[in-house]
Amino acid sequence: MKWETILYDKVGSVAKITLNRPDKRNAQNYRMIVELDQAMKEAEKDKEVRVIVLAGAGHSFSSGHDMSGMAPEGGMAGWRIGSEEHRDFEEKFFVGKCLYIRNLPKPTIAQVQGYCIAAGVMLASMCDLIVASEDALFSNMVGRMAASGTELLVEPWELGVRKAKEFLFTGDFIDAREAHRLGLVNRVVPREQLDEEVMGLANKIALMPPVALSYTKESLNRTQDIQGYTQSMFSHFNIHMLAHGSDETKAFIEGAISKGATGTKEFTELRDGKFKKT
Ligand code: ZN
């Protein structure tokens, strides 16, 4: 298929999938999520591919979901927020496609630079390993828009519950050093060494026997599942959908529309403006 929003490269036994909307800081729109899913499936099927790298072109890994480009063609626009169709869409499209990446039987590495925000954190967290550059900044400020986290609540698993609360209650950024200290990322390197570091790690893992690797990954994921990982994601998703239908969310969206804050810059100001002094 012809990719519009991603790049797909094979370097030896490594498949590198790059989110490729650099002018939008790789905001994930409908098309990108579909293409990412297809690219992951292609890499999974390809017997030559031993390791999958997920990267972002340009300044940032991903600034989250594209608030203006998420609706499937002809869909969603007419949906009532919180309706069965809306819930069904989010469950299959966001929850399903993310957990597919988490569970696919090949090792995955997220290569993160610049902003990694909200659904960017969710996506990176689906990968087995995360390597970040020193300039990486992580945040999830969807609470400021009256949402309850993104569709998957990865934060307590990635940061620990105490830090997850601070992260989600404030929407503040944590930098690469702090992310490393908390265990969110495996390694931190200068920006100019990021590509080399990730490819070096990917090539090393690619030398491991692939079946043993897939079993190890499955066993590690199951260990996390026994502690409730996947169940907790579906439990949170119900809460997330409840928050979508809340009066607070409606008020925020209506406020944004009435103030004409539909462009990214105005929208960001409405969301983050009052927090800037804190
Ligand atoms: Zn949602």
Side-chain angles (χ1 to χ4, degrees):
M1 95 173 267
K2 195 174 166 296
W3 309 109
E4 277 178 23
T5 58
I6 64 153
L7 301 170
Y8 187 96
D9 298 297
K10 257 170 75 174
V11 189
S13 45
V14 178
K16 185 171 184 182
I17 301 169
T18 305
L19 308 176
N20 191 32
R21 298 181 78 212
D23 53 324
K24 303 277 183 200
R25 299 209 160 147
N26 298 320
Q28 302 163 44
N29 62 4
Y30 182 80
R31 173 104 196 174
M32 182 187 275
I33 293 172
V34 169
E35 289 189 359
L36 174 60
D37 186 59
Q38 285 169 350
M40 285 284 174
K41 290 196 167 108
E42 199 167 308
E44 183 191 346
K45 259 189 266 147
D46 187 336
K47 289 206 162 56
E48 285 169 18
V49 171
R50 298 284 187 93
V51 178
I52 302 166
V53 170
L54 176 61
H59 175 278
S60 292
F61 175 74
S62 175
S63 56
H65 285 152
D66 185 334
M67 302 300 288
S68 59
M70 198 41 76
E73 293 81 9
M76 205 136 153
W79 297 350
R80 184 172 54 76
I81 298 293
S83 64
E84 306 95 275
E85 294 100 315
H86 180 204
R87 186 186 191 289
D88 200 46
F89 169 73
E90 289 214 3
E91 185 166 343
K92 288 199 180 101
F93 200 68
F94 299 134
V95 178
K97 291 193 188 314
C98 274
L99 290 179
Y100 161 68
I101 295 172
R102 185 238 182 193
N103 292 323
L104 68 81
K106 291 182 179 178
T108 52
I109 307 174
Q111 172 175 331
V112 175
Q113 81 283 9
Y115 291 125
C116 182
I117 296 175
V121 177
M122 177 165 89
L123 180 58
S125 298
M126 293 302 107
C127 294
D128 298 316
L129 308 174
I130 302 179
V131 178
S133 59
E134 286 166 346
D135 65 353
L137 286 167
F138 300 83
S139 83
N140 187 344
M141 65 269 282
V142 298
R144 296 177 182 181
M145 300 184 280
S148 174
T150 45
E151 287 73 18
L152 300 181
L153 191 71
V154 296
E155 286 82 0
W157 299 92
E158 302 294 340
L159 307 173
V161 174
R162 185 79 59 206
K163 270 291 176 185
K165 286 178 177 171
E166 184 182 343
F167 189 67
L168 293 167
F169 287 2
T170 64
D172 284 346
F173 284 105
I174 57 176
D175 62 19
R177 191 184 303 248
E178 178 73 345
H180 187 243
R181 194 184 69 78
L182 292 167
L184 171 63
V185 307
N186 295 81
R187 299 180 184 184
V188 179
V189 295
R191 176 71 168 258
E192 60 277 12
Q193 290 169 25
L194 184 60
D195 269 318
E196 199 187 328
E197 184 77 13
V198 171
M199 282 313 288
L201 181 58
N203 284 325
K204 183 184 271 190
I205 295 171
L207 297 174
M208 295 282 280
V211 176
L213 264 182
S214 75
Y215 288 166
T216 303
K217 173 167 175 171
E218 185 177 341
S219 195
L220 285 162
N221 280 1
R222 280 191 187 181
T223 299
Q224 213 179 15
D225 282 339
I226 290 162
Q227 298 166 64
Y229 182 93
T230 299
Q231 290 275 24
S232 78
M233 294 303 164
F234 284 98
S235 172
H236 165 75
F237 176 66
N238 287 337
I239 301 282
H240 173 84
M241 289 309 299
L242 266 182
H244 265 311
S246 75
D247 289 344
E248 282 182 1
T249 303
K250 265 181 244 159
F252 181 85
I253 302 284
E254 281 162 16
I257 292 167
S258 73
K259 290 188 180 94
T262 47
T264 309
K265 211 171 157 197
E266 293 80 6
F267 191 86
T268 307
E269 177 58 28
L270 188 72
R271 184 188 63 192
D272 302 330
K274 69 179 167 190
F275 293 96
K276 278 184 187 148
K277 292 175 216 87
T278 62

